[in-house]
Amino acid sequence: MRKEVFRILVLNPGSTSTKAAVYDDVEEIANATLHYTDEQLETCGGVLGQEEMRMKDVMYMLEENHVPAKSLNAVVGRGGLLNPIDSGTYLINDRMLDDLRNEKAMVHASSLGGVIAHDIGKRWGIPAYIVDPVVVDELEPYARFSGIPEIERRSVFHALNSKAVARHCAEKIGISYENGRFIVAHMGGGVTIGAHRYGRVIDVNDAVSGDGPFTPDRSGSVPVKPMVELCFSGKYTKDEILDKVIGKGGMKAYLGVNDMREVEIKVKNGDEHAAMVMEAMAFQISKQIGAMAAVLEGRVNAIILTGGLAHSQRFVGLIKQRVSQFASVYTFPGEAEMLALAEGALRVLRGEEPPAIYQ
């Protein structure tokens, strides 16, 4: 008997584009990346005002690819800056919708994924979900301590891709994600490295707040006393200091570029300083992986390297030579967020897990 195939519409809004795709189970049958000019975005008067424009483009994409509404079983959108939640596939309810529409959540366009998914689901009578937004919080109590009572460490990381590649790696080595112990390093503009223990991320650095290794354009953790002195030196405004932490720090501060491909060209052309910066970033990422190995008590099924930087064989090699003694290292270059969203919805549609409820 042929197993039922579920057709899922996947939406992933970014700051200047909307990625849309249709999956039959995990097979992509249509996709489009819908781009927006600065002028188009400015006329909307803010992120929430972009909803109607993006919604129309998604409808047009479905029409162009001859995907009738009645053929869809579910719609899933990228989750935004909600309250901290456990990992899972969440049915979009009124409480979530209210939180997605608030000013804090609308700082980033990803929140529109849930808003538009809800509108489509309501219009066509199909369930609407989000999966593993960046605010997934499964930290152990010890991981929250910062050393300053007024500051608590947060869980803000690349949850969607990190969880997805961990599941794929678990399948590859013949165990379930929920029975494994993994270290996942998502390495892009931001780098987040998490300890995954039996399906939960019990510790991870918060790259948004400047925690962890330095990255292509972020400073990562820096010595606190000199940083405080820099803040009060009178040489920089608050915004200029924040730029040094996120946007103009890390590799960009040292080399003037934040693209690893450009750095590799510099290294191949004999630029010793560029080679040193590349190795220093690999060194810091390796240290963070080592820290997560300690969190997992030295029992690690696999170390997983993913994100854009994992495309660089040279960079990956620098990390492997330092961490491969902890566990086997697997590489999943880039990110597969669209597939990960489809897979999350599919697990619920197949009855493999219940939909989570946002409260």
Side-chain angles (χ1 to χ4, degrees), residues 91-247:
L91 190 66
I92 301 173
N93 56 19
D94 290 340
R95 174 71 181 275
M96 181 188 293
L97 196 62
D98 287 344
D99 286 353
L100 284 172
R101 290 181 181 275
N102 73 29
E103 187 176 349
K104 176 186 172 185
M106 279 297 160
V107 167
H108 195 271
S110 60
S111 294
L112 285 173
V115 172
I116 296 172
H118 174 267
D119 290 348
I120 290 175
K122 185 176 181 180
R123 179 180 298 190
W124 294 338
I126 56 177
Y129 304 105
I130 67 165
V131 180
D132 288 341
V134 295
V135 293
V136 165
D137 186 347
E138 301 164 335
L139 296 187
E140 290 279 274
Y142 325 106
R144 300 188 189 280
F145 283 77
S146 71
I148 298 178
E150 294 89 345
I151 300 174
E152 184 176 88
R153 294 190 183 277
R154 306 182 307 163
S155 176
V156 180
F157 71 111
H158 303 88
L160 181 62
N161 187 56
S162 295
K163 291 259 183 180
V165 295
R167 288 181 183 278
H168 292 163
C169 186
E171 184 178 358
K172 188 172 184 176
I173 64 178
I175 63 174
S176 73
Y177 172 58
E178 289 73 18
N179 288 327
R181 301 162 77 94
F182 305 92
I183 299 169
V184 181
H186 181 109
M187 307 181 300
V191 174
T192 55
I193 301 169
H196 297 231
R197 186 184 68 188
Y198 309 138
R200 297 178 67 82
V201 181
I202 62 172
D203 195 9
V204 64
N205 65 291
D206 175 5
V208 173
S209 295
D211 189 27
F214 79 77
T215 82
D217 61 12
R218 303 184 190 187
S219 69
S221 301
V222 296
V224 176
K225 186 173 180 290
M227 185 63 171
V228 171
E229 291 173 348
L230 196 67
C231 290
F232 286 89
S233 68
K235 296 179 181 179
Y236 305 100
T237 65
K238 178 182 176 181
D239 287 342
E240 287 171 337
I241 290 289
L242 290 174
D243 281 345
K244 285 180 175 293
V245 176
I246 298 176

Side-chain angles (χ1 to χ4, degrees), residues 257-323:
V257 298
N258 60 3
D259 189 325
M260 180 59 81
R261 292 168 296 187
E262 293 184 48
V263 177
E264 287 195 301
I265 292 171
K266 289 177 180 289
V267 173
K268 288 176 182 177
N269 289 337
D271 188 328
E272 294 182 3
H273 181 58
M276 179 68 75
V277 171
M278 179 191 285
E279 290 192 32
M281 189 161 68
F283 177 86
Q284 289 201 1
I285 289 172
S286 300
K287 277 205 302 184
Q288 189 73 17
I289 290 172
M292 292 301 116
V295 169
L296 293 175
E297 301 163 321
R299 292 184 287 135
V300 184
N301 293 104
I303 296 168
I304 303 166
L305 306 179
T306 185
L309 297 182
H311 284 292
S312 170
Q313 293 184 8
R314 181 189 295 268
F315 189 67
V316 165
L318 291 170
I319 297 171
K320 280 185 174 181
Q321 71 184 24
R322 292 187 180 276
V323 305

Side-chain angles (χ1 to χ4, degrees), residues 15 21 86 128 199 229 255 282 336:
S15 56
D86 276 357
E229 291 173 348
L255 301 175

